[in-house]
Amino acid sequence: MKEIDNIEIKSTAGLSDVEKYNLQLKALITTKAGTLPGSRGFGISPDILDLGPEQSINLLALELAEKVDQYIPDITVSGIDRSANGKGVVKTQIYIERREQG
């Protein structure tokens, strides 16, 4: 997950501004929690990112749902897929949708 090019953000509900959320989510995912002065909670735990796809999928989904709720409240994460190819390159697909207001 260290390479931003291996993260793909997909909209499950046809969000018109998915590119904005793409940038925000990639910033959240590629920032290690505790490293951003003034907002130490921003980012994902590096322990989760270092795990393989099978071991990390549930932990990543939980942490990402919590962080998105706090830092990108307009959307929710509806699903995450992670896989590794034969060379060990991990690809991550994150499915988002607009948060229901109310």
Side-chain angles (χ1 to χ4, degrees):
M1 179 95 79
K2 293 173 179 40
E3 295 182 33
I4 198 165
D5 294 337
N6 293 333
I7 302 169
E8 184 178 9
I9 310 300
K10 295 185 173 186
S11 171
T12 59
L15 288 174
S16 60
D17 46 359
V18 73
E19 194 57 36
K20 173 178 96 173
Y21 299 118
N22 181 33
L23 295 172
Q24 292 175 352
L25 275 167
K26 285 183 178 180
L28 180 64
I29 294 166
T30 58
T31 301
K32 290 183 181 180
T35 62
L36 187 62
S39 188
R40 297 286 181 194
F42 187 86
I44 301 297
S45 169
D47 296 334
I48 293 173
L49 301 179
D50 290 339
L51 296 172
E54 296 82 25
Q55 298 89 355
S56 66
I57 189 86
N58 290 332
L59 293 173
L60 179 61
L62 288 171
E63 184 153 348
L64 197 54
E66 178 183 314
K67 300 294 176 117
V68 165
D69 187 44
Q70 183 176 359
Y71 294 104
I72 315 171
D74 293 341
I75 61 169
T76 61
V77 175
S78 59
I80 298 176
D81 290 326
R82 295 191 84 200
S83 61
N85 65 17
K87 297 178 183 178
V89 176
V90 177
K91 301 249 183 204
T92 303
Q93 293 180 325
I94 300 170
Y95 301 91
I96 61 172
E97 56 190 28
R98 190 166 308 282
R99 184 178 303 275
E100 295 286 327
Q101 302 297 324

Coordinates of all heavy atoms in Angstrom, one line a residue:
M1 N 0.8 -1.2 0.0 CA 0.0 0.0 0.0 C 0.9 1.2 0.0 O 0.4 2.3 0.0 CB -0.9 0.0 1.2 CG -1.8 1.2 1.3 SD -3.4 1.0 0.7 CE -4.2 0.1 2.0
K2 N 2.1 1.1 0.0 CA 3.0 2.2 0.0 C 3.0 3.1 -1.3 O 3.3 4.2 -1.3 CB 4.4 1.8 0.3 CG 4.6 1.2 1.7 CD 5.9 0.6 1.9 CE 6.2 0.0 3.3 NZ 5.1 -0.7 3.9
E3 N 2.5 2.5 -2.4 CA 2.5 3.2 -3.6 C 1.1 3.7 -3.9 O 0.1 2.9 -4.0 CB 2.9 2.3 -4.8 CG 4.4 1.9 -4.7 CD 4.8 1.0 -5.8 OE1 4.3 1.2 -6.9 OE2 5.7 0.1 -5.6
I4 N 1.0 5.0 -4.0 CA -0.4 5.6 -4.2 C -1.0 5.1 -5.5 O -2.2 5.1 -5.6 CB -0.2 7.1 -4.1 CG1 -1.6 7.7 -3.9 CG2 0.4 7.7 -5.4 CD1 -1.6 9.2 -3.5
D5 N -0.2 4.7 -6.5 CA -0.8 4.3 -7.8 C -1.5 3.0 -7.7 O -2.3 2.6 -8.6 CB 0.3 4.1 -8.8 CG 1.0 5.5 -9.2 OD1 0.3 6.5 -9.0 OD2 2.1 5.5 -9.7
N6 N -1.3 2.3 -6.6 CA -2.0 1.0 -6.4 C -3.2 1.1 -5.6 O -3.8 0.1 -5.1 CB -1.0 0.0 -5.7 CG 0.2 -0.4 -6.6 OD1 0.1 -0.3 -7.8 ND2 1.3 -0.7 -6.0
I7 N -3.7 2.3 -5.4 CA -5.0 2.6 -4.7 C -6.0 3.1 -5.7 O -5.7 4.1 -6.3 CB -4.8 3.6 -3.5 CG1 -3.8 3.1 -2.5 CG2 -6.1 3.8 -2.8 CD1 -3.3 4.1 -1.5
E8 N -7.1 2.5 -5.8 CA -8.1 2.9 -6.7 C -9.4 3.2 -6.0 O -9.9 2.4 -5.2 CB -8.4 1.8 -7.8 CG -9.3 2.2 -8.8 CD -9.5 1.1 -9.9 OE1 -9.0 0.0 -9.7 OE2 -10.1 1.4 -10.9
I9 N -9.9 4.4 -6.2 CA -11.2 4.8 -5.5 C -12.3 4.7 -6.5 O -12.2 5.3 -7.6 CB -11.1 6.3 -5.0 CG1 -9.8 6.5 -4.2 CG2 -12.3 6.6 -4.2 CD1 -9.7 5.6 -2.9
K10 N -13.4 4.0 -6.2 CA -14.5 3.8 -7.1 C -15.8 4.2 -6.4 O -16.0 4.0 -5.2 CB -14.6 2.4 -7.5 CG -13.5 1.9 -8.3 CD -13.7 0.5 -8.8 CE -12.7 0.0 -9.8 NZ -13.0 -1.3 -10.4
S11 N -16.7 4.9 -7.1 CA -17.9 5.3 -6.6 C -19.0 4.2 -6.9 O -19.1 3.8 -8.0 CB -18.4 6.6 -7.2 OG -19.7 6.9 -6.8
T12 N -19.7 3.8 -5.9 CA -20.8 2.8 -6.1 C -22.1 3.5 -6.4 O -23.1 2.9 -6.8 CB -21.0 2.0 -4.8 OG1 -21.4 2.8 -3.7 CG2 -19.8 1.2 -4.5
A13 N -22.2 4.8 -6.3 CA -23.4 5.5 -6.5 C -23.3 6.7 -7.5 O -24.1 7.6 -7.5 CB -24.0 6.1 -5.2
G14 N -22.3 6.6 -8.3 CA -22.1 7.7 -9.4 C -21.8 9.1 -8.9 O -22.4 10.0 -9.4
L15 N -21.0 9.2 -7.9 CA -20.7 10.5 -7.3 C -20.1 11.4 -8.5 O -19.1 10.9 -9.1 CB -19.6 10.4 -6.2 CG -20.1 9.9 -4.9 CD1 -18.9 9.7 -3.9 CD2 -21.2 10.8 -4.3
S16 N -20.6 12.6 -8.6 CA -20.0 13.4 -9.7 C -18.7 14.1 -9.3 O -17.9 14.4 -10.2 CB -21.0 14.6 -10.0 OG -21.3 15.3 -8.8
D17 N -18.4 14.1 -8.0 CA -17.2 14.8 -7.6 C -16.2 13.7 -7.0 O -15.5 14.0 -6.0 CB -17.4 15.9 -6.6 CG -18.5 15.5 -5.5 OD1 -19.0 14.4 -5.5 OD2 -18.7 16.4 -4.7
V18 N -16.2 12.5 -7.6 CA -15.4 11.4 -7.0 C -13.9 11.8 -7.0 O -13.1 11.3 -6.2 CB -15.6 10.1 -7.8 CG1 -15.0 10.1 -9.2 CG2 -15.1 8.9 -7.0
E19 N -13.4 12.6 -8.0 CA -12.0 13.0 -8.0 C -11.6 13.8 -6.8 O -10.5 13.6 -6.2 CB -11.7 13.8 -9.3 CG -10.2 13.9 -9.6 CD -9.5 12.6 -9.7 OE1 -10.1 11.7 -10.3 OE2 -8.3 12.5 -9.3
K20 N -12.4 14.6 -6.2 CA -12.2 15.3 -5.0 C -12.0 14.3 -3.8 O -11.0 14.4 -3.1 CB -13.3 16.3 -4.7 CG -13.2 17.0 -3.3 CD -14.3 18.0 -3.1 CE -15.4 17.3 -2.3 NZ -16.5 18.2 -1.9
Y21 N -12.8 13.4 -3.8 CA -12.7 12.4 -2.7 C -11.6 11.4 -2.9 O -11.0 10.9 -2.0 CB -14.1 11.6 -2.6 CG -15.2 12.5 -2.2 CD1 -16.3 12.7 -3.1 CD2 -15.2 13.3 -1.0 CE1 -17.3 13.5 -2.7 CE2 -16.2 14.1 -0.7 CZ -17.3 14.2 -1.6 OH -18.3 15.1 -1.2
N22 N -11.2 11.2 -4.2 CA -10.1 10.4 -4.5 C -8.8 11.0 -3.9 O -8.0 10.3 -3.2 CB -9.9 10.3 -6.0 CG -8.8 9.4 -6.5 OD1 -8.4 8.5 -5.8 ND2 -8.2 9.8 -7.6
L23 N -8.6 12.3 -4.1 CA -7.5 13.0 -3.5 C -7.5 13.0 -2.0 O -6.5 12.7 -1.3 CB -7.4 14.4 -4.0 CG -7.2 14.6 -5.5 CD1 -7.3 16.0 -5.9 CD2 -5.8 14.0 -5.9
Q24 N -8.7 13.2 -1.4 CA -8.8 13.2 0.1 C -8.5 11.9 0.7 O -7.8 11.8 1.7 CB -10.2 13.7 0.5 CG -10.4 15.2 0.2 CD -11.8 15.6 0.5 OE1 -12.7 14.9 0.8 NE2 -12.0 16.9 0.3
L25 N -9.1 10.8 0.1 CA -8.9 9.5 0.6 C -7.4 9.0 0.5 O -6.8 8.4 1.4 CB -9.8 8.5 -0.1 CG -11.2 8.4 0.5 CD1 -12.1 7.6 -0.5 CD2 -11.1 7.7 1.8
K26 N -6.8 9.3 -0.7 CA -5.4 8.9 -0.9 C -4.5 9.7 0.1 O -3.5 9.1 0.7 CB -5.0 9.2 -2.3 CG -5.5 8.1 -3.2 CD -5.0 8.3 -4.7 CE -5.6 7.2 -5.5 NZ -5.1 7.3 -6.9
A27 N -4.8 10.9 0.4 CA -4.0 11.7 1.4 C -4.2 11.0 2.8 O -3.2 10.8 3.6 CB -4.5 13.1 1.5
L28 N -5.4 10.6 3.1 CA -5.7 10.0 4.4 C -5.0 8.6 4.5 O -4.4 8.3 5.5 CB -7.2 9.8 4.6 CG -7.7 9.1 5.8 CD1 -7.4 10.0 7.1 CD2 -9.2 8.9 5.8
I29 N -5.0 7.8 3.5 CA -4.5 6.5 3.5 C -2.9 6.5 3.5 O -2.3 5.7 4.1 CB -5.0 5.7 2.3 CG1 -6.5 5.4 2.5 CG2 -4.2 4.4 2.1 CD1 -7.2 5.0 1.2
T30 N -2.4 7.4 2.7 CA -0.9 7.4 2.6 C -0.2 8.2 3.7 O 1.0 8.2 3.8 CB -0.4 8.0 1.3 OG1 -1.0 9.3 1.1 CG2 -0.9 7.1 0.1
T31 N -1.0 8.9 4.6 CA -0.4 9.6 5.8 C -0.4 8.6 6.9 O -1.4 8.0 7.3 CB -1.2 10.8 6.1 OG1 -1.3 11.7 5.0 CG2 -0.6 11.5 7.3
K32 N 0.8 8.4 7.6 CA 0.9 7.6 8.8 C 0.3 8.4 9.9 O 0.6 9.5 10.2 CB 2.3 7.3 9.1 CG 2.9 6.3 8.1 CD 4.3 5.9 8.5 CE 4.9 5.0 7.4 NZ 6.3 4.6 7.8
A33 N -0.6 7.7 10.7 CA -1.3 8.3 11.8 C -0.2 8.8 12.8 O 0.8 8.1 13.0 CB -2.2 7.3 12.5
G34 N -0.4 10.0 13.3 CA 0.5 10.6 14.3 C 1.6 11.4 13.7 O 2.4 12.0 14.5
T35 N 1.7 11.6 12.4 CA 2.8 12.3 11.8 C 2.4 13.7 11.3 O 3.2 14.5 10.9 CB 3.4 11.6 10.6 OG1 2.3 11.4 9.6 CG2 3.9 10.2 11.0
L36 N 1.1 14.1 11.4 CA 0.7 15.4 10.9 C 0.5 16.3 12.1 O -0.5 16.2 12.8 CB -0.7 15.2 10.1 CG -1.2 16.4 9.4 CD1 -0.2 16.9 8.3 CD2 -2.5 16.2 8.8
P37 N 1.4 17.3 12.2 CA 1.3 18.2 13.3 C -0.1 19.0 13.3 O -0.6 19.4 12.2 CB 2.4 19.2 13.1 CG 3.4 18.5 12.2 CD 2.5 17.6 11.4
G38 N -0.7 19.1 14.4 CA -2.0 19.8 14.5 C -3.2 18.9 14.3 O -4.3 19.2 14.6
S39 N -2.9 17.7 13.8 CA -4.0 16.7 13.6 C -3.4 15.3 13.6 O -3.3 14.6 12.6 CB -4.7 16.9 12.2 OG -5.9 16.1 12.2
R40 N -2.9 14.9 14.8 CA -2.2 13.7 15.0 C -3.1 12.4 14.7 O -2.6 11.4 14.4 CB -1.6 13.6 16.4 CG -0.6 14.6 16.7 CD 0.7 14.3 16.1 NE 1.7 15.4 16.4 CZ 2.8 15.5 15.8 NH1 3.1 14.8 14.8 NH2 3.6 16.5 16.2
G41 N -4.4 12.6 14.7 CA -5.3 11.5 14.4 C -5.4 11.2 12.9 O -5.9 10.1 12.5
F42 N -5.1 12.2 12.1 CA -5.2 12.0 10.6 C -4.3 11.0 10.1 O -3.1 10.9 10.5 CB -4.9 13.3 9.9 CG -5.2 13.3 8.5 CD1 -6.5 13.6 8.0 CD2 -4.2 13.1 7.5 CE1 -6.8 13.6 6.6 CE2 -4.5 13.0 6.2 CZ -5.8 13.3 5.7
G43 N -4.7 10.1 9.3 CA -3.9 9.0 8.7 C -4.3 7.7 9.2 O -5.1 7.5 10.0
I44 N -3.6 6.7 8.6 CA -3.9 5.3 8.9 C -2.6 4.7 9.7 O -1.5 5.0 9.4 CB -4.1 4.5 7.6 CG1 -5.3 5.0 6.9 CG2 -4.3 3.0 7.9 CD1 -6.6 5.0 7.6
S45 N -2.9 3.8 10.6 CA -1.8 3.2 11.4 C -0.9 2.4 10.4 O -1.3 1.6 9.6 CB -2.4 2.2 12.4 OG -1.4 1.4 12.9
P46 N 0.4 2.7 10.5 CA 1.4 2.0 9.7 C 1.4 0.5 9.9 O 1.7 -0.3 9.0 CB 2.7 2.6 10.0 CG 2.5 3.3 11.3 CD 1.1 3.6 11.4
D47 N 1.0 0.0 11.1 CA 0.9 -1.4 11.3 C -0.1 -2.1 10.4 O 0.2 -3.2 9.9 CB 0.6 -1.7 12.8 CG 1.6 -1.1 13.8 OD1 2.8 -1.0 13.4 OD2 1.2 -0.8 14.9
I48 N -1.2 -1.5 10.1 CA -2.2 -2.0 9.3 C -1.7 -2.1 7.8 O -1.8 -3.1 7.1 CB -3.5 -1.2 9.3 CG1 -4.1 -1.4 10.7 CG2 -4.5 -1.7 8.2 CD1 -5.3 -0.5 10.9
L49 N -1.0 -1.0 7.4 CA -0.6 -0.9 6.0 C 0.5 -1.9 5.7 O 0.7 -2.3 4.6 CB -0.1 0.5 5.7 CG -1.2 1.6 5.9 CD1 -0.6 2.9 5.6 CD2 -2.4 1.3 5.1
D50 N 1.3 -2.4 6.7 CA 2.4 -3.3 6.5 C 1.9 -4.8 6.5 O 2.7 -5.6 6.1 CB 3.4 -3.1 7.6 CG 4.2 -1.8 7.4 OD1 4.2 -1.2 6.3 OD2 4.8 -1.3 8.4
L51 N 0.7 -5.0 6.8 CA 0.2 -6.4 6.8 C -0.2 -6.8 5.3 O -0.4 -5.9 4.5 CB -1.1 -6.5 7.6 CG -0.9 -6.3 9.1 CD1 -2.3 -6.2 9.8 CD2 -0.1 -7.3 9.8
G52 N -0.2 -8.1 5.1 CA -0.6 -8.5 3.8 C -2.1 -8.3 3.5 O -2.9 -7.9 4.4
P53 N -2.6 -8.5 2.3 CA -4.0 -8.2 1.9 C -5.0 -8.9 2.8 O -6.0 -8.3 3.2 CB -4.1 -8.6 0.5 CG -2.8 -8.9 0.0 CD -1.8 -9.0 1.2
E54 N -4.8 -10.2 3.0 CA -5.8 -11.0 3.8 C -5.9 -10.6 5.2 O -6.9 -10.5 5.8 CB -5.5 -12.5 3.7 CG -5.6 -13.0 2.3 CD -4.4 -12.8 1.4 OE1 -3.3 -12.6 2.0 OE2 -4.5 -12.8 0.2
Q55 N -4.7 -10.3 5.8 CA -4.6 -9.9 7.2 C -5.1 -8.5 7.5 O -5.6 -8.2 8.6 CB -3.2 -10.0 7.8 CG -2.6 -11.4 7.7 CD -1.9 -11.7 6.4 OE1 -1.9 -10.9 5.4 NE2 -1.3 -12.9 6.3
S56 N -5.0 -7.6 6.5 CA -5.3 -6.2 6.8 C -6.7 -5.8 6.4 O -7.1 -4.7 6.8 CB -4.3 -5.4 6.1 OG -4.4 -5.5 4.7
I57 N -7.4 -6.5 5.6 CA -8.6 -6.0 5.0 C -9.6 -5.5 6.0 O -10.2 -4.5 5.9 CB -9.3 -7.0 4.0 CG1 -10.4 -6.4 3.2 CG2 -9.7 -8.3 4.7 CD1 -10.0 -5.7 2.0
N58 N -9.9 -6.3 7.1 CA -10.9 -6.0 8.1 C -10.4 -4.8 8.9 O -11.1 -3.9 9.2 CB -11.2 -7.1 9.0 CG -12.0 -8.2 8.3 OD1 -12.7 -7.9 7.3 ND2 -11.9 -9.4 8.7
L59 N -9.1 -4.8 9.3 CA -8.5 -3.7 10.1 C -8.5 -2.4 9.3 O -8.9 -1.4 9.9 CB -7.1 -4.1 10.6 CG -7.0 -5.2 11.6 CD1 -5.5 -5.5 11.8 CD2 -7.6 -4.9 12.9
L60 N -8.2 -2.5 8.1 CA -8.2 -1.3 7.2 C -9.6 -0.8 7.1 O -9.8 0.4 7.2 CB -7.6 -1.6 5.9 CG -7.6 -0.4 4.9 CD1 -6.7 0.7 5.4 CD2 -7.0 -0.9 3.5
A61 N -10.6 -1.7 6.9 CA -12.0 -1.2 6.7 C -12.5 -0.5 8.0 O -13.1 0.5 7.9 CB -12.9 -2.4 6.4
L62 N -12.2 -1.1 9.1 CA -12.6 -0.4 10.4 C -12.0 0.9 10.6 O -12.6 1.9 10.9 CB -12.3 -1.4 11.6 CG -13.2 -2.6 11.7 CD1 -12.6 -3.5 12.8 CD2 -14.6 -2.2 12.0
E63 N -10.6 1.0 10.4 CA -9.9 2.2 10.7 C -10.3 3.3 9.6 O -10.5 4.4 9.9 CB -8.4 2.0 10.7 CG -7.7 3.3 11.0 CD -6.4 3.1 11.7 OE1 -6.0 2.0 12.1 OE2 -5.7 4.1 11.8
L64 N -10.5 2.9 8.4 CA -10.8 3.8 7.3 C -12.2 4.3 7.5 O -12.5 5.5 7.3 CB -10.7 3.1 6.0 CG -10.6 4.1 4.8 CD1 -9.5 5.1 4.9 CD2 -10.4 3.3 3.5
A65 N -13.2 3.5 7.9 CA -14.5 3.9 8.2 C -14.6 5.0 9.3 O -15.2 6.0 9.2 CB -15.4 2.8 8.6
E66 N -13.8 4.8 10.4 CA -13.7 5.7 11.5 C -13.1 7.0 11.0 O -13.6 8.1 11.3 CB -12.9 5.1 12.6 CG -12.7 6.0 13.8 CD -11.8 5.4 14.8 OE1 -12.0 4.2 15.1 OE2 -10.9 6.1 15.3
K67 N -12.0 7.0 10.3 CA -11.3 8.2 9.8 C -12.1 9.0 8.8 O -12.1 10.2 8.8 CB -9.9 7.8 9.3 CG -9.0 7.1 10.3 CD -8.6 8.0 11.4 CE -7.8 7.3 12.5 NZ -6.5 7.8 12.6
V68 N -12.7 8.3 7.9 CA -13.6 8.9 6.9 C -14.7 9.6 7.6 O -15.1 10.8 7.2 CB -14.1 7.9 5.8 CG1 -15.2 8.5 5.0 CG2 -12.9 7.5 4.9
D69 N -15.3 9.0 8.6 CA -16.4 9.6 9.3 C -15.9 10.9 9.9 O -16.7 11.9 10.0 CB -16.9 8.7 10.4 CG -18.1 9.2 11.1 OD1 -19.1 9.7 10.4 OD2 -18.2 9.1 12.3
Q70 N -14.7 11.0 10.4 CA -14.2 12.1 11.1 C -13.7 13.2 10.1 O -13.9 14.4 10.3 CB -13.1 11.7 12.0 CG -12.5 12.9 12.8 CD -11.4 12.4 13.8 OE1 -11.1 11.3 13.9 NE2 -10.8 13.4 14.5
Y71 N -12.9 12.8 9.1 CA -12.2 13.7 8.2 C -12.9 14.0 6.9 O -12.6 15.0 6.2 CB -10.8 13.3 8.0 CG -10.0 13.3 9.3 CD1 -9.7 12.1 10.0 CD2 -9.6 14.5 9.9 CE1 -9.0 12.2 11.2 CE2 -8.9 14.6 11.0 CZ -8.6 13.4 11.7 OH -7.9 13.4 12.9
I72 N -13.7 13.1 6.4 CA -14.4 13.3 5.1 C -15.9 12.9 5.3 O -16.3 11.9 4.8 CB -13.7 12.4 4.0 CG1 -12.2 12.5 4.0 CG2 -14.2 12.9 2.6 CD1 -11.5 11.5 3.1
P73 N -16.6 13.7 6.1 CA -17.9 13.3 6.5 C -19.0 13.3 5.4 O -20.1 12.8 5.6 CB -18.3 14.4 7.5 CG -17.5 15.5 7.2 CD -16.2 15.0 6.6
D74 N -18.7 13.7 4.2 CA -19.7 13.7 3.1 C -19.8 12.3 2.5 O -20.8 12.1 1.7 CB -19.2 14.7 1.9 CG -19.3 16.1 2.4 OD1 -19.9 16.4 3.4 OD2 -18.6 16.9 1.7
I75 N -18.9 11.4 2.7 CA -19.0 10.1 2.1 C -18.9 9.0 3.2 O -18.5 9.2 4.3 CB -17.8 9.9 1.1 CG1 -16.5 10.0 1.7 CG2 -18.0 10.9 -0.1 CD1 -15.3 9.6 0.9
T76 N -19.2 7.8 2.7 CA -18.9 6.6 3.5 C -18.2 5.6 2.7 O -18.3 5.6 1.4 CB -20.2 5.9 4.0 OG1 -21.0 5.5 2.9 CG2 -21.0 6.8 4.9
V77 N -17.4 4.7 3.3 CA -16.8 3.6 2.6 C -17.7 2.4 2.6 O -18.1 1.9 3.6 CB -15.4 3.2 3.3 CG1 -14.8 2.0 2.6 CG2 -14.5 4.4 3.3
S78 N -18.1 2.0 1.4 CA -19.1 0.9 1.3 C -18.4 -0.5 1.1 O -19.0 -1.5 1.2 CB -20.1 1.2 0.1 OG -19.4 1.3 -1.1
G79 N -17.1 -0.5 0.8 CA -16.4 -1.7 0.6 C -14.9 -1.5 0.3 O -14.6 -0.4 -0.2
I80 N -14.1 -2.5 0.6 CA -12.7 -2.5 0.3 C -12.3 -3.9 -0.3 O -12.7 -4.9 0.3 CB -11.8 -2.2 1.5 CG1 -12.2 -0.8 2.0 CG2 -10.4 -2.3 1.2 CD1 -11.5 -0.4 3.3
D81 N -11.5 -3.9 -1.3 CA -10.9 -5.1 -1.9 C -9.4 -4.9 -1.9 O -9.0 -3.9 -2.3 CB -11.4 -5.4 -3.3 CG -12.9 -5.9 -3.3 OD1 -13.3 -6.5 -2.4 OD2 -13.5 -5.5 -4.3
R82 N -8.7 -5.9 -1.4 CA -7.2 -5.9 -1.5 C -6.7 -7.2 -2.1 O -7.2 -8.3 -1.8 CB -6.6 -5.7 -0.2 CG -6.9 -4.4 0.5 CD -6.0 -4.1 1.7 NE -4.8 -3.5 1.2 CZ -3.6 -3.6 1.9 NH1 -3.6 -4.1 3.1 NH2 -2.6 -3.0 1.4
S83 N -5.7 -7.1 -3.0 CA -5.2 -8.3 -3.5 C -3.7 -8.1 -3.9 O -3.3 -7.0 -4.0 CB -5.9 -8.7 -4.8 OG -5.8 -7.7 -5.8
A84 N -2.9 -9.2 -3.9 CA -1.5 -9.1 -4.2 C -1.3 -10.0 -5.5 O -1.8 -11.1 -5.6 CB -0.7 -9.6 -3.1
N85 N -0.4 -9.5 -6.4 CA -0.1 -10.3 -7.5 C 1.1 -11.2 -7.2 O 1.6 -11.2 -6.0 CB 0.2 -9.4 -8.7 CG 1.4 -8.5 -8.6 OD1 2.3 -8.7 -7.7 ND2 1.5 -7.5 -9.4
G86 N 1.6 -11.9 -8.1 CA 2.7 -12.9 -7.9 C 4.0 -12.2 -7.5 O 4.9 -12.8 -6.9
K87 N 4.1 -10.9 -7.7 CA 5.4 -10.2 -7.3 C 5.2 -9.5 -6.0 O 6.1 -8.8 -5.6 CB 5.7 -9.1 -8.4 CG 6.0 -9.7 -9.8 CD 6.2 -8.6 -10.8 CE 6.5 -9.3 -12.2 NZ 6.7 -8.3 -13.2
G88 N 4.1 -9.7 -5.3 CA 3.9 -9.1 -4.0 C 3.3 -7.7 -4.0 O 3.2 -7.0 -3.0
V89 N 3.0 -7.2 -5.2 CA 2.4 -5.8 -5.3 C 0.9 -5.9 -4.8 O 0.1 -6.6 -5.4 CB 2.5 -5.3 -6.7 CG1 1.9 -3.9 -6.8 CG2 4.0 -5.2 -7.1
V90 N 0.6 -5.1 -3.8 CA -0.7 -5.1 -3.3 C -1.5 -4.0 -4.0 O -1.1 -2.8 -4.0 CB -0.7 -4.8 -1.7 CG1 -2.1 -4.7 -1.2 CG2 0.1 -5.9 -1.0
K91 N -2.7 -4.3 -4.5 CA -3.6 -3.4 -5.1 C -4.8 -3.3 -4.2 O -5.3 -4.2 -3.6 CB -4.1 -3.9 -6.5 CG -3.0 -4.1 -7.4 CD -3.0 -3.1 -8.5 CE -1.9 -3.4 -9.5 NZ -1.6 -2.2 -10.3
T92 N -5.3 -2.0 -4.0 CA -6.4 -1.8 -3.1 C -7.5 -1.0 -3.9 O -7.2 0.0 -4.5 CB -6.0 -0.9 -1.9 OG1 -4.9 -1.6 -1.2 CG2 -7.1 -0.7 -1.0
Q93 N -8.7 -1.5 -3.8 CA -9.9 -0.8 -4.4 C -10.8 -0.4 -3.2 O -11.2 -1.3 -2.4 CB -10.6 -1.7 -5.4 CG -9.8 -2.0 -6.6 CD -10.6 -2.8 -7.6 OE1 -11.4 -3.7 -7.2 NE2 -10.4 -2.6 -8.9
I94 N -11.1 0.9 -3.2 CA -12.0 1.4 -2.1 C -13.3 1.9 -2.8 O -13.2 2.7 -3.7 CB -11.3 2.5 -1.3 CG1 -10.0 1.9 -0.7 CG2 -12.2 3.1 -0.2 CD1 -9.2 2.9 0.0
Y95 N -14.4 1.4 -2.3 CA -15.7 1.8 -2.9 C -16.4 2.8 -1.9 O -16.5 2.6 -0.7 CB -16.6 0.6 -3.1 CG -16.0 -0.4 -4.0 CD1 -15.2 -1.4 -3.5 CD2 -16.2 -0.3 -5.4 CE1 -14.6 -2.4 -4.4 CE2 -15.6 -1.2 -6.3 CZ -14.8 -2.2 -5.7 OH -14.2 -3.1 -6.6
I96 N -16.8 4.0 -2.5 CA -17.4 5.0 -1.7 C -18.8 5.4 -2.2 O -19.1 5.1 -3.3 CB -16.5 6.3 -1.6 CG1 -16.3 6.9 -3.1 CG2 -15.1 6.0 -1.0 CD1 -15.6 8.2 -3.1
E97 N -19.5 6.0 -1.3 CA -20.8 6.5 -1.7 C -21.1 7.7 -0.8 O -20.5 7.9 0.2 CB -21.9 5.5 -1.6 CG -22.0 4.9 -0.2 CD -23.0 3.7 -0.2 OE1 -23.2 3.0 -1.2 OE2 -23.6 3.5 0.9
R98 N -22.0 8.5 -1.3 CA -22.4 9.8 -0.6 C -23.1 9.4 0.7 O -24.0 8.5 0.7 CB -23.3 10.7 -1.4 CG -23.5 12.0 -0.8 CD -24.1 13.1 -1.7 NE -23.4 13.2 -3.0 CZ -22.3 13.9 -3.2 NH1 -21.7 14.4 -2.2 NH2 -21.8 14.0 -4.4
R99 N -22.8 10.0 1.8 CA -23.4 9.7 3.1 C -24.8 10.2 3.1 O -25.1 11.3 2.6 CB -22.6 10.4 4.2 CG -23.1 10.1 5.6 CD -22.3 10.8 6.7 NE -20.9 10.5 6.6 CZ -20.3 9.4 7.2 NH1 -21.1 8.5 7.8 NH2 -19.0 9.2 7.1
E100 N -25.7 9.4 3.6 CA -27.1 9.8 3.8 C -27.2 10.9 4.8 O -26.6 10.8 5.9 CB -27.9 8.6 4.2 CG -28.0 7.5 3.2 CD -28.9 7.8 2.1 OE1 -29.9 8.5 2.2 OE2 -28.6 7.3 0.9
Q101 N -27.9 12.0 4.5 CA -28.1 13.1 5.4 C -29.3 12.8 6.2 O -30.3 12.4 5.7 CB -28.2 14.4 4.7 CG -27.0 14.7 3.8 CD -25.7 14.9 4.6 OE1 -25.7 15.4 5.7 NE2 -24.6 14.5 4.0
G102 N -29.2 13.1 7.5 CA -30.4 13.0 8.3 C -30.3 12.3 9.6 O -29.7 11.8 10.3

